[in-house]
């Protein structure tokens, strides 16, 4: 599913950034560091998502159009919610790993 590819690419990007921050010795519990991490992620997330979509032959515009067109479909909504829940769990795992 295209949404899975897109969201997975965002999770991978956040994992990479957290790893980079840890390697640099940054305190991920520090609110200022967390804010900078979020800024860095927002700067890189769009390109990461677009690149992942292009790798499977889909443009960001096609993806956004498809999501919008199917926004009322309960099956699609359920699938996207499940993907987002998995992403949240993955990101929470990254946060737990960051504490070590």
């Amino acid at each position: 599913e295209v949404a899975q590819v897109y969201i997975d690419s965002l999770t991978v990007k956040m994992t990479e950034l957290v790893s980079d921050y840890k390697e640099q010795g940054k305190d991920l519990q520090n609110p200022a560091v967390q804010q900078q991490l979020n800024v860095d992620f927002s700067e890189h997330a769009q390109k990461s998502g677009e690149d992942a979509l292009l790798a499977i032959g889909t443009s960001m515009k096609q993806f956004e159009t498809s999501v919008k067109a199917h926004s009322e479909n309960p099956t699609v909504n359920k699938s996207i919610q499940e993907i987002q829940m998995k992403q949240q769990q993955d990101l929470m795992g990254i946060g737990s790993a960051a504490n070590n």
Side-chain angles (χ1 to χ4, degrees), residues 45-100:
Q46 182 77 18
K47 178 157 178 28
S48 179
E50 286 177 1
D51 290 349
L53 292 174
L54 288 173
I56 61 169
T58 302
S59 71
M60 180 61 83
K61 184 174 176 95
Q62 289 170 315
F63 176 63
E64 290 172 345
T65 300
S66 178
V67 169
K68 197 176 287 185
H70 297 287
S71 64
E72 300 297 320
N73 183 319
T75 303
V76 172
N77 285 334
K78 184 174 187 255
S79 294
I80 290 175
Q81 286 176 345
E82 289 172 356
I83 293 167
Q84 289 173 330
M85 284 177 45
K86 181 188 177 302
Q87 180 192 36
Q88 287 175 347
Q89 290 171 343
D90 291 345
L91 292 176
M92 286 173 48
I94 293 167
S96 296
N99 295 333
N100 297 330

